[in-house]
Every structure is written in structure tokens, then in C-alpha cells.
Amino acid sequence: MEPVTEIDNQKTKISERELPFQKVMDVRSRPQLRGEQLLDVLNEGFIRLNQWIKPGISAELNPFAQMGAVANTLFVISLVSGILLLFWYSPSIHHAYESLEALKQGSVLGQFMRSLHRYSSDGMMLFLLLHGLQVLVAGKFSGPRWLAWVSGVVLAVLVWLDGWLGYWLVWDQRAQLVARASAKMLDVLPFFADPLSRSFLTNESVNSLLFFLVFFIHMLIPLGLGIALWIHIMRLNQSVFFTTRRMSAVIFVSLTVISVIYPATSATKADMLTIPGELTIDWFYLLPLVITEHLKGGTLWVLTLVGITGITLVPWVLVKRRSQTARVLESRCNGCTQCYQDCPYNAITMMPRLEGKGRSESYAVIDPARCVGCGICVGSCDPAGVEYPLLEPLQMRKWVDALLTDLPRGNGHSVRIAFMCAESAGGTLTLNASGESPSMPGFRIVPVPCAGWVHPLLIERAIRKGAAGVLVVSCDADPYCRKGVEWTAKRLAGERKPAFRKEKVEGVPVWHIRLDRTERKELQRIARLMTENAQLPAQNQTPRWRRWSLAAAVLTALALLTVFPSDAPLIAARDPQPEIVVSFKHPGQLVEQQKATSQKDEKLLPHMRGAATLERVRVPVRLRVWIDGREVIRKAYKPGGLFHDGISLAMETIPL
Ligand code: HEM
Ligand code: SF4
Ligand code: SF4
């Protein structure tokens, strides 16, 4: 495997006439990844999903455009419903099952709370998986994002563990399998003198203290989740942490409907003397049960550790070459703090200026270890004080000027400028040295890593130099450079600094359109409209009935995706054939044996040798089992303990 190439921040040479990029994509801020093409194809799945939803559901209510925030809201619902469930649930091995069964007849509210707790936890796992998959295929794990990625893996493990232990607390047959699988894995670790699995041999031997411990850990894990979540987003500026009130209400109402139609149920009560046969499980949390009954504890540990390590190492294994980072030229910085406010990754710090009388008190400094190279700070800086090696702002200014000089003017010869985000619908456009593409006649295209790279002054400048219109094309639903689309829209609407001054360009159209990679045709259509001097079509003209049916389709699909896996058959369950389990804990007979004498001693006469030492060891305990006259087990169990003087332990399962 090739090592990750270090960032060499070499400046791209842009001559006044020729752009050294053949494709808009060449200015992508995304690092080079291994398996990039496959990731792109998979990412297109998410993009198409959003494209399908976009005409009917606003970004605020689109669950796929804010999957992390949806997972968070579901976490809160799960937490609150879990706490309220304690009014009905009894955390004791003897009463847990009955206390939950009693809800069916005894308490509508209790049953609702139980179902809400289950489905919010399931929904959380669903959105966690979708969110993790989306950041993976979008390549949003490299560079400084490693912290969000690694803490995301920790979050996933903690959420899963909490759900796994939650099912233990019902003390039904699912809990029985969960307990046995957990004990099997824990017994591999050298912690317990007496294997935990032995506590699940009979109903009497089940350890009630252990049950309470599981309950306690189940309550404690959300605290760890809170800490991991804080780390998860600590490097993100203005994170979309929770869904809006409207979206949260939609989530809550959907969960309520599911809970009423399909209330959560338990399996048959746990019975250690019965092998659970056919039963349904919650695939979101209990899927490992498909293999735990068939594999040994050690193998399960190897699979778990290899899986978790592999996923954790993604940011290091998949990145071939890191993105270039931005740098502030101290001499140009006037300390306005705009880049500091705009940087989506909190990579900029304002430092006090120690020298330079009459200048601003502070200047901006970019920490390369935190910079993802999105270029948004270039679009923040009035004095062009940010150096962006891939696309130098000052050189690009000259290049835009050059594009617009010496052009024949008049009807049919006017030229428009398109600032094209590399992740947008125009990402795959090929360009000639003058920035022209046959797909967008009448336009000179300026490729940019993110629409946020474009400073409004550059747009005004292009118009001053003669551009007959400016199109700013950004990506849409889930921007690779977070905040890029939002800041661009606000800057162009004059709602955020540096604000675009409409009055300076009166009569010249400046359109900001959001189109993802899959919407090339729409881009060409809108570009044509601009060249025909038409109006920008108003968005969201979808008829109301279509919007409602789309929303209903999305909600139904999500509800089905939550409910069906939550009560699905346990594939590859164990054969419920009878079996005999033989287990004992027995001390072998103590024997004393003389320790071997040293060679030196052996050469001496017996009365001249040193005192002989006696060793006390236990003999192994032997087990022989016959069934119908046939011997099925013949085994010896060595004594435990460091000095082989401990107790012999046996646990054998004999299928009949
Ligand atoms: C309980 C589960 C999780 C929750 C609640 C959660 C929540 C969030 C939130 C709110 C954001 C910020 C989104 C934004 O403002 O742009 C985020 C970002 C992120 N999450 Fe998660 N997340 C979870 C699990 C995961 C998992 C399992 C992974 C992957 C292993 C992951 C990887 C990331 C990454 C890499 C980012 C940064 C994305 C970017 O830079 O644009 N998260 N998450
Ligand atoms: S805004 Fe600038 S400093 Fe912040 S991550 Fe993007 S390129 Fe780096
Ligand atoms: S936006 Fe430019 S001038 Fe303002 S603080 Fe940042 S680098 Fe300095």
C-alpha cells in the first residue's frame, strides 16, 4: 500500500490566458482516495435519493439531508422514554419480564412508552448507519475529520452495546441468548475465576446481581454517549446538532403512530432449561445472535476486534493524498474576523499582532492540522488575504479579467461567467483553456472547490468587466464542504458578510442554483434560460398533492425500515434439539511430590544433599459420560490456578 502523500501546498500556475484544469473536478478539495470510483458510485445513490425528495420536501424536513441530527433527536426521545419507562419496569430478574407483560393489559401509557423507547432506539441505529455510510461514501473522513470519524465509531459501538444490554433487561428468550453470548465472550477474558456461562445453566443459578449490573450499565452508557457526541462535533462550526422543532415533531408523531399500530412485545419468558427455537429478534441490535450461538468466544472476539479496527482505520487506509490547505498572508489581513466566523471546521484562530503599528490588533492564523481545504475562507476575505494554493484568489481575479477582455460585444456575443463548484452538477464538465465547455455555450466557466470560495466582490468585478450574467452553481443536499452552500446563499442575498451588493450590478442577472452531480440536464436548462435572458424559474412549484404524497411515501418507507427489522426472524437459530449440559466445579485430589533435585545435588551422597522440597499439586479431574451404553465424553480437566493447585472446571454440551 502506498503511504499517504503529504500535502505539498504547491501553487498552481495560472497564466493570464490559460487555465491549467481540464475538468471542473480538478479543483476538488476532496483528497485522493483509494476506491474513489466505487465510493462515488455509492454516493450517487444518496444524491439521487435527495434529488427525488427535493421537489416535494424542504431541506428542513428532509431526513436524509441531516441524518446525524435525526439520530440525535431520536437519541433524546429514546433517553426520555427510557427514563419514563422506569415508572412501570422493575429491574429485577424475578419481576422484569412480568412487569413488561403487565403493560399489555394494565397500562396504555406504559405500553406506549415501551414502544416509543424501542422504536426511537431502532430509528437511531438506522440513522446512525445511514449517516456513517453517507460520510464514508462521500469521503468525509479524511484529514481533520478523523476525529469525527473515530468518535463516530465509538458512538456506534456504544449505541449498539446499550441496545444489546437493553434486550437483556426484558429477560425473555432473546435476553437468554444475549446473556449466553455475552457470557461466552467474557469467559475468554481472564477476569472470572468461575465462568459466567455457568450462571446461565439453570434458572436457579442465574445471578440476580449480574442482572442489576447490566441494568446499571444500560443506564450509564448514555452518559458516555453524551461525551462521545461532544467530541464528535467539537471540530465543527455551528453543527446541525438537533433537528428543528417542526422536524422533531414529525419524528415524534411518526414514532407515536408506529408505536400504536405495532406495539413492542417480548418473546417467551427466559427459561434456562429450554433452548430458544424459532423466535424473532431486533436486527438493529441483535443481529450478532445469528453467529454467536455457532462460534466460539475467541472467534467472536477476533471478528469483533478486526471489524472495529478496520472501520476505525478508514481515514488512514483510504486516503492516498491529503487535500491542500489554506494559509493567511499576515501582511494582507486586516483582522476583520470574517474567515474565523465562516470556517466550518474551526481551523482559524485570531492571534494578537505584536508588531506593525497602526495595523489591526489581531490577524487570522489557519491551523493546517484542522483545515480541510474547502476554500470557504477565500470567499470571506475582502483584501484577498487567504492563500489557497490550488486556486490562488489573486491569480483567479486576473484570469476572470482576461476572460472578459477583448471579447466581441453586442448581440450574440455576450459572455456569462459560471462559478462552478467541483461537487455540483457541473463537476464533470470538461473545459478548454479559456474555460469554455460545449455543454454550456455562451459561458466561461471558473471551476471552484466550493461555491463558498467565490467572494461577492469577484462577482461584482466580473460584471464590471462586462459579464452579461453570473451563475453560481453549488452542490445541494449534503455539501461536501459543510456550510459552503448556506454561506453562499446568505452572502448573495445580502444577509451575511461579505454581502453581495445588488445595487452595483443593476439589470445583470446573478443566479445561485443548487444542483447535485446527477442534475446535469437541469444545469444546462438553466444555463440556456440565462443566455435567453429569461427569468430564473421559481423553485418548489410542485403541486401540493405531489408534495404530500412524497412526504407520505418517505415516512412510510422509513417506518417500514424501522419496524420490520425490529421484529424479524432469527436466521440460523440453533437447532432446538435436546441436549445435555454437564458442568462441575470440583477440586482434584491433592498430592505431594518431591521437586526434582538439581544435578549438583544428585552427584552428592544422599546425606550430603540439601533439604528436599515437596510440591503440593492437584490431580486432574476425569469425566466420563455414557448415553445409552455409548461413551460420549472421556476427558480430564486440569486444575486451575497459577500453581495448578486450584479447582477443575468443566462445562460440556452433548447434543442428543
Ligand atoms: C449516535 C450516532 C451519531 C450521531 C448522533 C452523529 C451526529 C453527527 C452530527 C450532528 C454531525 C454534524 C453534522 C453537521 O453539522 O454537518 C456529525 C458529523 C459527522 N459524523 Fe456523525 N453522528 C453519529 C455517528 C457517526 C458515525 C457512526 C460515523 C462514522 C463512523 C460518523 C461520522 C461523522 C463524520 C465524519 C462527521 C463530519 C462530517 C463533515 O465533516 O461534514 N458519525 N455527526
Ligand atoms: S474555511 Fe479555510 S481554514 Fe477553514 S477549513 Fe476551509 S480552507 Fe481551511
Ligand atoms: S477574512 Fe481576511 S482580512 Fe478578515 S481576518 Fe480573515 S484573513 Fe484577515
Side-chain angles (χ1 to χ4, degrees), residues 69-88:
V70 173
N72 248 337
T73 303
L74 287 163
F75 171 50
V76 173
I77 297 178
S78 164
L79 190 70
V80 174
S81 55
I83 293 171
L84 292 177
L85 193 56
L86 291 179
F87 281 113
W88 295 274

Side-chain angles (χ1 to χ4, degrees), residues 66-73 75 124 127-129 131-136 140-142 145-157 159 225 229 232-233 236-242 311 345 372 478-483:
Q66 43 179 333
M67 292 190 277
V70 173
N72 248 337
T73 303
F75 171 50
M124 183 182 178
F127 273 91
L128 178 157
L129 292 174
H131 165 66
L133 186 66
Q134 203 271 333
V135 289
L136 172 72
K140 291 190 199 173
F141 47 73
S142 62
R145 285 162 159 139
W146 73 265
L147 187 64
W149 177 266
V150 174
S151 54
V153 177
V154 173
L155 278 170
V157 172
V159 169
L225 272 174
L229 261 174
H232 193 57
I233 52 146
L236 306 181
N237 183 9
Q238 296 190 26
S239 162
V240 188
F241 197 57
F242 287 121
I311 297 173
Y345 289 92
V372 301
D478 191 39
Y480 178 74
C481 304
R482 49 188 301 280
K483 300 292 172 197

Side-chain angles (χ1 to χ4, degrees), residues 208-227:
S208 52
L209 200 67
L210 179 66
F211 187 84
F212 193 75
L213 186 68
V214 169
F215 170 72
F216 185 67
I217 298 175
H218 180 69
M219 306 290 283
L220 209 63
I221 286 178
L223 196 70
L225 272 174
I227 297 170

Side-chain angles (χ1 to χ4, degrees), residues 326 343-345 347-348 366 370-377:
C343 173
Y345 289 92
I348 302 179
I366 296 177
R370 287 185 162 209
C371 171
V372 301
C374 64
I376 290 174
C377 49

Side-chain angles (χ1 to χ4, degrees), residues 22-27 418-431 437 439-440 445-448 473-475 513-524:
Q22 269 107 46
K23 270 190 170 183
V24 174
M25 256 197 192
D26 293 345
V27 300
F419 290 102
M420 191 70 70
C421 156
E423 305 291 335
S424 73
T428 47
L429 289 178
T430 37
L431 308 175
S437 161
S439 307
M440 282 179 64
I445 296 168
V446 182
V448 291
V473 187
S474 66
C475 62
I513 52 170
R514 305 162 175 217
L515 294 173
D516 276 318
R517 241 170 38 203
T518 48
E519 296 170 287
R520 174 85 163 263
K521 280 202 178 124
E522 183 62 2
L523 170 66
Q524 286 172 278

Side-chain angles (χ1 to χ4, degrees), residues 399-407 409 415 417 461-462 465-467:
W399 193 71
V400 171
D401 288 355
L403 285 183
L404 294 160
T405 47
D406 307 332
L407 285 171
R409 306 278 164 197
V415 163
I417 293 286
R461 185 184 180 100
K465 298 278 174 183

Side-chain angles (χ1 to χ4, degrees), residues 74-382:
L74 287 163
F75 171 50
V76 173
I77 297 178
S78 164
L79 190 70
V80 174
S81 55
I83 293 171
L84 292 177
L85 193 56
L86 291 179
F87 281 113
W88 295 274
Y89 174 73
S90 165
S92 125
I93 189 119
H94 306 295
H95 305 295
Y97 184 80
E98 284 74 16
S99 67
L100 290 174
E101 281 301 284
L103 297 179
K104 278 190 204 156
Q105 284 89 34
S107 166
V108 176
L109 191 60
Q111 176 63 42
F112 168 67
M113 217 45 83
R114 181 184 182 195
S115 306
L116 194 63
H117 188 54
R118 173 165 311 172
Y119 293 126
S120 51
S121 316
D122 286 338
M124 183 182 178
M125 185 50 109
L126 174 67
F127 273 91
L128 178 157
L129 292 174
L130 287 173
H131 165 66
L133 186 66
Q134 203 271 333
V135 289
L136 172 72
V137 297
K140 291 190 199 173
F141 47 73
S142 62
R145 285 162 159 139
W146 73 265
L147 187 64
W149 177 266
V150 174
S151 54
V153 177
V154 173
L155 278 170
V157 172
L158 286 179
V159 169
W160 170 79
L161 185 63
D162 214 24
W164 175 262
L165 296 181
Y167 273 103
W168 187 319
L169 297 177
V170 182
W171 206 237
D172 58 359
Q173 286 194 330
R174 293 171 192 141
Q176 189 177 333
L177 293 177
V178 167
R180 280 173 55 125
S182 312
K184 194 195 264 189
M185 285 185 78
L186 288 174
D187 283 344
V188 176
L189 307 176
F191 292 154
F192 306 99
D194 197 359
L196 261 187
S197 303
R198 275 171 49 83
S199 9
F200 301 111
L201 288 179
T202 63
N203 290 322
E204 291 71 36
S205 61
V206 176
N207 191 332
S208 52
L209 200 67
L210 179 66
F211 187 84
F212 193 75
L213 186 68
V214 169
F215 170 72
F216 185 67
I217 298 175
H218 180 69
M219 306 290 283
L220 209 63
I221 286 178
L223 196 70
L225 272 174
I227 297 170
L229 261 174
W230 175 69
I231 296 174
H232 193 57
I233 52 146
M234 68 193 278
R235 286 200 174 169
L236 306 181
N237 183 9
Q238 296 190 26
S239 162
V240 188
F241 197 57
F242 287 121
T243 49
T244 58
R245 270 192 207 174
R246 237 152 58 99
M247 182 65 185
S248 308
V250 171
I251 294 174
F252 184 75
V253 171
S254 314
L255 288 174
T256 305
V257 173
I258 302 176
S259 304
V260 171
I261 297 179
Y262 208 81
T265 53
S266 316
T268 322
K269 190 176 178 184
D271 175 11
M272 295 303 140
L273 300 179
T274 311
I275 301 173
E278 276 186 14
L279 80 161
T280 57
I281 56 163
D282 183 341
W283 278 31
F284 287 112
Y285 293 98
L286 303 185
L287 197 60
L289 289 180
V290 170
I291 52 168
T292 49
E293 286 291 303
H294 305 279
L295 298 179
K296 291 210 167 106
T299 319
L300 291 172
W301 272 115
V302 171
L303 288 179
T304 312
L305 294 179
V306 168
I308 294 179
T309 315
I311 297 173
T312 309
L313 291 180
V314 158
W316 294 275
V317 175
L318 288 193
V319 176
K320 249 202 248 174
R321 191 191 170 92
R322 281 187 60 183
S323 327
Q324 295 204 350
T325 52
R327 198 172 76 92
V328 171
L329 296 168
E330 189 191 335
S331 56
R332 280 186 158 262
C333 174
N334 63 21
C336 73
T337 75
Q338 195 54 47
C339 58
Y340 164 76
Q341 293 172 47
D342 285 354
C343 173
Y345 289 92
N346 291 332
I348 302 179
T349 325
M350 297 307 295
M351 299 290 279
R353 209 191 283 272
L354 301 175
E355 291 165 12
K357 254 193 161 182
R359 308 201 53 207
S360 61
E361 281 178 7
S362 61
Y363 67 101
V365 175
I366 296 177
D367 178 356
R370 287 185 162 209
C371 171
V372 301
C374 64
I376 290 174
C377 49
V378 175
S380 318
C381 188
D382 290 351

